[in-house]
Amino acid sequence: MEVGFLGLGIMGKAMAANLLRHGFRVTVWNRTLAMLSDPSAALSVVFDKDGVLEQIGEGKGYVDMSTVDAATSCKISEAVKQKGGAFVEAPVSGSKKPAEDGQLVILAAGDKALYDDMVPAFDVLGKKSFFLGEMGNGAKMKLVVNMIMGSMMNAFSEGLCLADKSGLSPQTLLDVLDLGAIANPMFKMKGPSMLQGSYNPAFPLKHQQKDMRLALSLGDENAVSMPVAAASNEAFKKARSLGLGDLDFSAVHEVLKGTGGSG
Amino acid sequence: MEVGFLGLGIMGKAMAANLLRHGFRVTVWNRTLAMLSDPSAALSVVFDKDGVLEQIGEGKGYVDMSTVDAATSCKISEAVKQKGGAFVEAPVSGSKKPAEDGQLVILAAGDKALYDDMVPAFDVLGKKSFFLGEMGNGAKMKLVVNMIMGSMMNAFSEGLCLADKSGLSPQTLLDVLDLGAIANPMFKMKGPSMLQGSYNPAFPLKHQQKDMRLALSLGDENAVSMPVAAASNEAFKKARSLGLGDLDFSAVHEVLKGTGGSG
Amino acid sequence: MEVGFLGLGIMGKAMAANLLRHGFRVTVWNRTLAMLSDPSAALSVVFDKDGVLEQIGEGKGYVDMSTVDAATSCKISEAVKQKGGAFVEAPVSGSKKPAEDGQLVILAAGDKALYDDMVPAFDVLGKKSFFLGEMGNGAKMKLVVNMIMGSMMNAFSEGLCLADKSGLSPQTLLDVLDLGAIANPMFKMKGPSMLQGSYNPAFPLKHQQKDMRLALSLGDENAVSMPVAAASNEAFKKARSLGLGDLDFSAVHEVLKGTGGSG
Amino acid sequence: MEVGFLGLGIMGKAMAANLLRHGFRVTVWNRTLAMLSDPSAALSVVFDKDGVLEQIGEGKGYVDMSTVDAATSCKISEAVKQKGGAFVEAPVSGSKKPAEDGQLVILAAGDKALYDDMVPAFDVLGKKSFFLGEMGNGAKMKLVVNMIMGSMMNAFSEGLCLADKSGLSPQTLLDVLDLGAIANPMFKMKGPSMLQGSYNPAFPLKHQQKDMRLALSLGDENAVSMPVAAASNEAFKKARSLGLGDLDFSAVHEVLKGTGGSG
C-alpha cells in the first residue's frame, strides 16, 4: 500500500520513518496523510494551488493527522467529499518519542471505510487507534486530552517551584510523586530536564498553548466553565510573551519559577 | 514493639489494622502514632488534659502521621522535646486503599533516632518511607504532593465535562487517557465513579481543600505564585459551599459539571 | 441629514429615538448605521441578499456601531470599499441608560471623512466620540473597556458575597465603596439591584461574555497574559451554563453567591 | 482632648499631622490610636513590654486603626477589656493622599461608647466614619474593600497591557475609561504613573497582597469561592517574588506587562 505524507516536522519525520521501516511506500499518491502544525497550515495544504483538493477524487482518500479544531476538519471534509474523495481526521496523542516508537494513540473520525483501509498504517504509527464517529470528534478528543495535559504540566511546575522555594529537594519530590497515585510518564520524563532548565522541544509550547486555546473555545461553544484550564492557558501565553514558544511546553516552568525575592 | 495509635478515622483504622496484622501490639504506650484530621485536632491531642504531653518523657517518642502545616509540627516538636521526648512528623501520601494495603508513602522528618526506631512500623504501613530532614519538611512535602493532586483532579474533571458537553464519550476519554503520557492511578481509579456521580470518601474534599489552603499559605510565605493551584482551591471551596465537603475530593466534579444550558 | 438605522435591540431603539428627537430623518438611505448584537449578525446584514452591500456605492457611507472583533470590521470595510463606499466602525461604550440619554462614548475608526460627516449624529448619540485611526481600533478599544468592566463586575460580586457570608451588611459595603477611591457609576447603579437578585438586562450577560472572549482572543494574538480576565470569563461562562445569558451581565452574581453551606 | 498615636508610617504621619492641625494634643496618653502595618506589629505594640496593655485600664480606651484580621482585633479586644479598658478597631479605607487630606473612610467596630468619644477625632481624620457593630467587623469590611480594589487594579493593568500590545494608545484608554460607567478615582490617579512605570508607594504592594491573603482566608472560613480575587492575589505574589513588594500596589503592572515577544 502506498501512503502519501505531508509535513515533516518533529512528529511527521518520525511517523514517516516508521511507515518506511514497515515496508510502506511513502510518496504523494492516492492515500495522503498530513501532519501539520496548525489550522492555517492544514487548510492551505488542501485549498492552495497544487493542493490536495486538486489531486483528490473518486476512490481516493485523505487523512489529516494534525491537531486542528473541529471546524477546520469539517471544512476540509466538505471540500474533499465534493470532489468525490474520502476524508478521515486522525490527530494523535503523544509527542516525539512515542512517534518514533510507533506508540502514538490515534484519534480518528469521519469516513469509516477509509479508516478501515488505513488501519494497517495506523497499526504501524500507533499502539492503538480509536474510531470516534462523526467528523470533528477526533479533533475534539485530542483537544480535551491536551487541555488536561497542559493543566497537569502547570500543576507539576507549581509543585516543583513550591518545593524548591520551601527548602525541599525537588528531586525528592519527583521520587515521592513517582510512588503515588498521581505517578505518570509525563512527570517521570519531563521532571528531571525541567529541574535542569532544559526544554528540548518534544511538543513546542506554542502548539500546547494553541491546543489550550482551541479547547477553551470548544468549552465556550458548549458553555463549559474551565477555570483551571483558563489559568494554565494564561501561563502558557506568558511563556510565549517571554519568547519561549518554540521550546518544549514544559518551559512554562520558567514562567512559574520567578526570582525568589521575598518582596 | 508496642505502638500507640490515636485517631481511628478512614486512614487510621486501616493503618492500625495493618500494624496488628503484623504482630505489633497496638496500645497507648511509649511509642505513639497519631493520625488526625487537621491542625487543631493534632494540637489538642497533644496539649489538652490527659494529652500526649502528660505521658511523654525521657526515652519516649511521639510520631504524628497527620497532615498539618509545618508550624503545627514545630509547635508539637518543641513541647515534646521540652518534656525530654522525641518527635517525628510522618504525614503519608495515599488514601484509604493504600492505607489498607500498607502501600502508603511516608514522609518523615524530625528526630532521626526515633525515625530509625519506627522503620519497622513504617515498613508495615507503607511501601516506602523518606526521611526529609528538619522538622516541618514532612508536612511541607505532603502539602506539595496534595496540591499537585488537587489541581490534577480539577484538570481531569474539566476534561470529563468538556468531553461530555462536546458530544464525546467520557468513557472513551478515560480509555484514551489511560494509554497516554498522563495516565495515572488516580484517573484510572476515580474516573469511572466520577462518571457515575459516586463520591464515596477515600479522601474527604474538605481535607483536600484544607491542604490546598495550607500549600497556598506556604507559597505565600515564600512568594511563590501558583495560579493553577489558586483556581483549583476556589473550585474546592465552591464544592464546600454546596455542602460536598464530606464526600470524596473528586466531588469537585459536581461543581464543574454545571447544567448544560447554553445561555 | 438622513440616517439609516439597522438593528433595533436594547441599544438601537434608544439611539434611533435620540436621532429622531433631534430632527434627523431616520430611514434606510445613504448613511446607514448598524447596531447589531454580534459578528455574525453584523456580517449577514452586509453580505446577505438585499444587504448593505447591494445598496452601498460611490458617495455613500456605512457606519457599524456594533461591538465586533477587528477581523469582522476589516472584512466589512474591504467589501464596502470595493463597492466604492466608505466605512466607519463606531462601537459604543455604555449600555441602555446612556444610550437613552445620548451619553454614550463612541469609539470610531476607519474612513476619516465619513467620520467627520457623522459627527453631528454622534454628538446626539454620545457625550464624546473618539477617532482612533485605522480600521479595527474602535472594536479593539471597546473590547479592552468591556474586558475591564467584566472583571470589575466579578470583583464587585465577590466582594458582595464575601461581605454577606461574613456577617457584614452588603448595603453598608455599597455605602463604603461609594465614598472611596474605587467608587464608580457601575457599582452605584448595579449594586442595589444585585442585592435584590434583579437582573433586568441593560447589557445581556451573553454579550459581555462574548466581549470577554474576543478580548482574550486579542490578547492571545498579541501574547498578553490576562489571568484575571480569564477567571472572569469562566465565571460568565458558568452563568451561561446556568441559563443566565439573557439576563444583565451583573447576573454573574448568581454564580458567585453559592449556597452558604459550610462543607 | 488628648490623643495618643503609635506608628508613624506613610498613613500615620499624615493622620497625626491632621489631628495636630485641628488642635488635638497628640501624645501617648489615655486615648491611644495605633496605625501599624500588620497583625504582628499590632499585637506587639499591645502585648510587648511597655506595651499598651501596661498602660490601659478603667476609663481608658485604645483604638487600633491598622488593617488586621478579625482574629487579631478580637485578641487585642479581650486583653484590653480584661484590664478594664475599652477597645475600638477602626481600620481606614484610603491611602496616603486621603490621609493627608483628612478624607479617609473609617470602619469602626467594638466599644460603642469609646467610638462615640472618638467621633471628633474621626471627623478630623476622615470624611465619614461607620460603626459596624461587633468587634472584627471593621477589619472584615476593610478587607472586603481592599480585595475588590486589588482585583480592580489587576483588571485595569491587564487592560492597559492589552491596549498597548494591540496598537492602541493606553493614554486614550484612560480618557475613554474616565468617561464611562467604570470611571473611578483610582484609575484616574494611578493610570498616568503606571504608564510611566512610576510606583511611588501610596499603598505598598506587600500590604495590598497581605489584605488579599486575609480576605481570601475570610472567604475560606465562610466557604466563599472567589476565583478573581485568587487570580489577583497570585499576580501580587508574583510581584513580591520579583522584589516589588515595597513599591505601590500598582506595580503589579510590571508583572502583567511581560516582554512583548510573540513566542
Side-chain angles (χ1 to χ4, degrees):
Chain A
M1 178 185 186
E2 309 203 353
V3 179
F5 213 94
L6 304 167
L8 294 177
I10 292 170
M11 300 291 289
K13 274 209 195 68
M15 292 161 74
N18 280 333
L19 290 170
L20 287 164
R21 196 174 304 117
H22 288 72
F24 285 83
R25 276 184 53 204
V26 179
T27 55
V28 179
W29 192 65
N30 72 338
R31 294 262 179 273
T32 303
L33 283 82
M35 193 64 196
L36 304 157
S37 65
D38 63 26
S40 59
L43 286 170
S44 66
V45 85
V46 172
F47 292 95
D48 289 0
K49 183 163 186 337
D50 302 324
V52 168
L53 222 50
E54 296 181 8
Q55 301 177 37
I56 205 76
E58 280 306 331
K60 294 192 179 184
Y62 177 57
V63 178
D64 185 347
M65 303 188 76
S66 10
T67 295
V68 297
D69 54 312
T72 301
S73 288
C74 294
K75 190 171 170 187
I76 294 172
S77 178
E78 286 317 305
V80 168
K81 280 197 216 145
Q82 274 191 349
K83 299 291 300 298
F87 180 64
V88 159
E89 62 166 354
V92 298
S93 173
S95 63
K96 190 180 179 186
K97 186 79 171 58
E100 290 168 346
D101 304 344
Q103 291 297 301
L104 296 166
V105 176
I106 295 164
L107 308 170
D111 186 297
K112 183 65 163 63
L114 175 56
Y115 169 78
D116 294 335
D117 290 349
M118 295 308 301
V119 166
F122 290 157
D123 288 346
V124 166
L125 299 173
K127 60 183 162 189
K128 174 120 169 103
S129 73
F130 293 85
F131 184 76
L132 302 169
E134 72 181 26
M135 181 56 53
N137 284 356
K140 289 175 183 174
M141 183 63 80
K142 172 62 187 291
L143 291 176
V144 174
V145 170
N146 280 9
M147 178 189 80
I148 296 171
M149 182 173 72
S151 292
M152 275 176 62
M153 176 53 75
N154 274 271
F156 183 47
S157 175
E158 289 182 357
L160 291 172
C161 294
L162 181 57
D164 184 41
K165 298 285 173 62
S166 307
L168 301 170
S169 154
Q171 180 56 57
T172 303
L173 172 59
L174 296 183
D175 297 340
V176 171
L177 288 171
D178 200 43
L179 286 162
I182 57 177
N184 65 86
M186 180 176 79
F187 288 3
K188 203 180 179 62
M189 189 164 36
K190 303 281 187 187
S193 50
M194 287 166 73
L195 294 187
Q196 292 158 33
S198 136
Y199 308 105
N200 201 24
F203 182 41
L205 187 141
K206 64 186 175 191
H207 295 166
Q208 168 69 76
Q209 195 264 319
K210 173 204 68 182
D211 289 352
M212 295 298 285
R213 174 174 66 239
L214 295 173
L216 285 162
S217 300
L218 181 61
D220 202 307
E221 289 163 32
N222 298 288
V224 184
S225 181
M226 305 185 291
V228 166
S232 301
N233 187 45
E234 296 309 313
F236 284 121
K237 281 165 59 181
K238 188 70 171 179
R240 275 180 50 212
S241 79
L242 298 173
L244 308 174
D246 294 320
L247 299 181
D248 188 68
F249 74 111
S250 54
V252 73
H253 191 50
E254 291 299 307
V255 171
L256 297 170
K257 265 155 74 174
T259 71
S262 68
Chain B
M1 176 187 190
E2 308 202 354
V3 179
F5 213 94
L6 304 167
L8 294 176
I10 292 170
M11 301 292 289
K13 274 208 198 70
M15 292 160 74
N18 281 333
L19 289 170
L20 287 164
R21 196 173 304 117
H22 289 72
F24 285 83
R25 278 183 51 204
V26 178
T27 55
V28 180
W29 193 62
N30 74 337
R31 294 265 178 274
T32 304
L33 285 81
M35 192 64 197
L36 303 157
S37 64
D38 63 25
S40 60
L43 287 170
S44 66
V45 86
V46 172
F47 292 94
D48 288 1
K49 185 167 184 331
D50 302 324
V52 167
L53 223 47
E54 296 181 7
Q55 301 177 37
I56 207 75
E58 279 307 332
K60 295 191 178 184
Y62 177 56
V63 179
D64 185 346
M65 303 188 75
S66 6
T67 295
V68 297
D69 54 311
T72 302
S73 288
C74 294
K75 191 171 169 186
I76 294 173
S77 179
E78 287 317 306
V80 169
K81 279 197 215 144
Q82 275 190 349
K83 297 293 298 300
F87 180 65
V88 159
E89 62 166 355
V92 298
S93 174
S95 63
K96 189 180 179 187
K97 186 82 173 55
E100 290 168 346
D101 303 345
Q103 291 297 301
L104 296 167
V105 176
I106 294 164
L107 308 171
D111 186 297
K112 184 66 163 62
L114 175 56
Y115 169 79
D116 293 335
D117 289 349
M118 296 308 302
V119 166
F122 289 157
D123 288 346
V124 167
L125 299 172
K127 60 183 162 190
K128 175 123 169 98
S129 72
F130 293 85
F131 184 76
L132 301 169
E134 72 181 27
M135 182 56 53
N137 284 356
K140 289 176 183 175
M141 184 62 81
K142 173 62 187 293
L143 291 176
V144 173
V145 171
N146 280 9
M147 178 189 81
I148 297 172
M149 182 173 73
S151 292
M152 275 176 63
M153 176 53 77
N154 273 270
F156 182 48
S157 175
E158 288 182 359
L160 291 172
C161 293
L162 181 56
D164 184 42
K165 297 284 174 63
S166 306
L168 301 170
S169 154
Q171 181 54 60
T172 303
L173 172 59
L174 295 183
D175 298 338
V176 171
L177 287 171
D178 200 44
L179 287 162
I182 57 176
N184 65 86
M186 180 176 79
F187 288 3
K188 202 180 180 64
M189 188 165 35
K190 303 281 187 188
S193 50
M194 287 166 72
L195 295 187
Q196 290 158 35
S198 137
Y199 309 106
N200 201 24
F203 182 41
L205 188 140
K206 64 186 175 190
H207 295 166
Q208 168 70 75
Q209 195 264 318
K210 173 204 67 180
D211 289 353
M212 295 298 285
R213 173 174 67 242
L214 294 174
L216 285 161
S217 300
L218 182 60
D220 202 307
E221 289 163 32
N222 297 288
V224 184
S225 181
M226 306 185 291
V228 166
S232 301
N233 186 44
E234 296 310 312
F236 284 119
K237 280 166 59 183
K238 188 70 171 181
R240 276 179 50 213
S241 79
L242 299 173
L244 308 174
D246 294 320
L247 299 181
D248 188 68
F249 75 111
S250 53
V252 72
H253 191 49
E254 290 299 308
V255 170
L256 297 170
K257 266 155 76 171
T259 72
S262 68
Chain C
M1 177 186 188
E2 309 203 354
V3 180
F5 213 93
L6 305 167
L8 295 177
I10 291 170
M11 300 291 289
K13 274 207 196 71
M15 293 161 73
N18 280 334
L19 290 169
L20 287 164
R21 195 173 304 115
H22 288 74
F24 286 82
R25 276 183 53 203
V26 179
T27 55
V28 179
W29 192 63
N30 73 337
R31 294 263 178 274
T32 304
L33 283 83
M35 193 63 198
L36 304 158
S37 66
D38 63 26
S40 60
L43 286 169
S44 66
V45 86
V46 172
F47 292 94
D48 289 0
K49 187 167 182 333
D50 303 323
V52 167
L53 223 49
E54 296 182 9
Q55 300 177 39
I56 206 74
E58 279 307 332
K60 294 192 178 183
Y62 177 58
V63 178
D64 185 347
M65 303 188 75
S66 4
T67 295
V68 297
D69 54 311
T72 302
S73 287
C74 294
K75 191 171 170 186
I76 294 172
S77 177
E78 286 317 303
V80 168
K81 280 199 215 144
Q82 274 190 348
K83 299 292 299 301
F87 180 65
V88 160
E89 62 167 354
V92 298
S93 174
S95 62
K96 190 180 180 188
K97 187 80 173 54
E100 290 167 348
D101 303 345
Q103 291 297 299
L104 296 166
V105 175
I106 295 164
L107 308 171
D111 186 298
K112 184 64 164 61
L114 174 57
Y115 168 79
D116 294 336
D117 290 350
M118 296 307 303
V119 166
F122 290 156
D123 289 345
V124 166
L125 299 173
K127 59 183 163 189
K128 175 119 169 105
S129 71
F130 292 84
F131 184 76
L132 302 170
E134 71 181 28
M135 181 56 53
N137 283 356
K140 288 175 183 173
M141 183 63 81
K142 172 62 187 294
L143 291 176
V144 174
V145 171
N146 279 9
M147 177 189 81
I148 297 171
M149 182 173 74
S151 292
M152 275 175 63
M153 176 54 76
N154 274 270
F156 182 48
S157 175
E158 288 182 358
L160 291 172
C161 294
L162 181 56
D164 184 41
K165 297 284 175 63
S166 307
L168 301 171
S169 154
Q171 180 56 58
T172 304
L173 173 59
L174 296 183
D175 298 339
V176 171
L177 287 171
D178 200 42
L179 287 162
I182 57 177
N184 66 87
M186 180 177 80
F187 288 3
K188 203 179 180 63
M189 189 165 33
K190 303 281 187 187
S193 49
M194 287 165 72
L195 295 187
Q196 291 158 35
S198 138
Y199 309 105
N200 200 23
F203 183 41
L205 188 142
K206 65 185 174 190
H207 296 166
Q208 168 69 76
Q209 195 264 318
K210 172 203 69 182
D211 289 352
M212 294 297 285
R213 174 176 64 240
L214 295 173
L216 284 162
S217 300
L218 181 61
D220 201 307
E221 288 163 33
N222 298 287
V224 184
S225 181
M226 305 184 292
V228 166
S232 301
N233 186 45
E234 296 310 312
F236 284 120
K237 281 165 59 183
K238 188 70 172 181
R240 276 179 51 212
S241 79
L242 298 173
L244 308 174
D246 294 321
L247 299 180
D248 188 68
F249 74 112
S250 53
V252 73
H253 191 49
E254 291 298 308
V255 171
L256 297 171
K257 267 155 76 173
T259 71
S262 67
Chain D
M1 178 186 187
E2 309 203 354
V3 180
F5 213 94
L6 304 167
L8 294 177
I10 292 169
M11 301 291 290
K13 274 207 196 71
M15 292 161 73
N18 280 334
L19 289 171
L20 288 164
R21 195 173 303 115
H22 288 73
F24 286 83
R25 279 184 50 205
V26 179
T27 55
V28 179
W29 191 64
N30 73 336
R31 295 265 178 272
T32 304
L33 283 81
M35 192 63 198
L36 304 157
S37 64
D38 63 25
S40 60
L43 286 170
S44 66
V45 86
V46 172
F47 292 95
D48 288 1
K49 184 164 183 337
D50 302 325
V52 167
L53 223 48
E54 296 181 8
Q55 302 177 38
I56 207 74
E58 279 308 330
K60 295 192 178 184
Y62 177 56
V63 178
D64 185 346
M65 304 188 76
S66 7
T67 296
V68 298
D69 54 311
T72 302
S73 288
C74 293
K75 191 171 170 187
I76 294 172
S77 178
E78 286 318 305
V80 169
K81 280 197 215 145
Q82 275 190 348
K83 299 290 300 297
F87 181 64
V88 159
E89 62 166 355
V92 298
S93 173
S95 63
K96 189 180 180 188
K97 186 83 173 54
E100 290 168 348
D101 303 345
Q103 291 296 300
L104 296 166
V105 176
I106 295 165
L107 308 170
D111 187 297
K112 184 66 164 63
L114 175 56
Y115 169 78
D116 294 335
D117 290 349
M118 295 309 301
V119 166
F122 289 157
D123 288 347
V124 166
L125 299 173
K127 59 184 162 190
K128 175 121 169 100
S129 71
F130 293 84
F131 183 76
L132 301 169
E134 71 181 25
M135 183 54 53
N137 284 355
K140 289 176 183 173
M141 183 63 80
K142 173 62 187 292
L143 291 177
V144 173
V145 170
N146 279 9
M147 177 189 83
I148 297 172
M149 182 173 73
S151 292
M152 275 176 63
M153 176 53 76
N154 274 269
F156 182 47
S157 175
E158 289 182 357
L160 291 172
C161 294
L162 181 56
D164 184 41
K165 297 283 174 63
S166 306
L168 301 170
S169 154
Q171 181 54 60
T172 302
L173 173 59
L174 295 183
D175 298 340
V176 171
L177 287 171
D178 200 44
L179 287 162
I182 56 176
N184 65 86
M186 179 176 80
F187 287 3
K188 202 179 180 63
M189 189 165 34
K190 302 280 187 188
S193 50
M194 288 166 72
L195 295 187
Q196 291 158 34
S198 138
Y199 309 105
N200 200 24
F203 182 41
L205 188 141
K206 64 186 174 190
H207 296 165
Q208 168 69 75
Q209 195 264 320
K210 173 204 67 180
D211 289 352
M212 295 297 285
R213 173 175 66 239
L214 294 173
L216 285 162
S217 300
L218 182 60
D220 202 307
E221 289 164 31
N222 297 288
V224 183
S225 181
M226 306 184 291
V228 166
S232 300
N233 187 44
E234 296 309 312
F236 284 120
K237 280 166 60 183
K238 187 71 170 180
R240 275 179 52 212
S241 80
L242 298 174
L244 308 174
D246 294 320
L247 299 180
D248 188 68
F249 74 112
S250 53
V252 72
H253 191 50
E254 290 300 307
V255 170
L256 297 170
K257 267 155 76 173
T259 72
S262 67

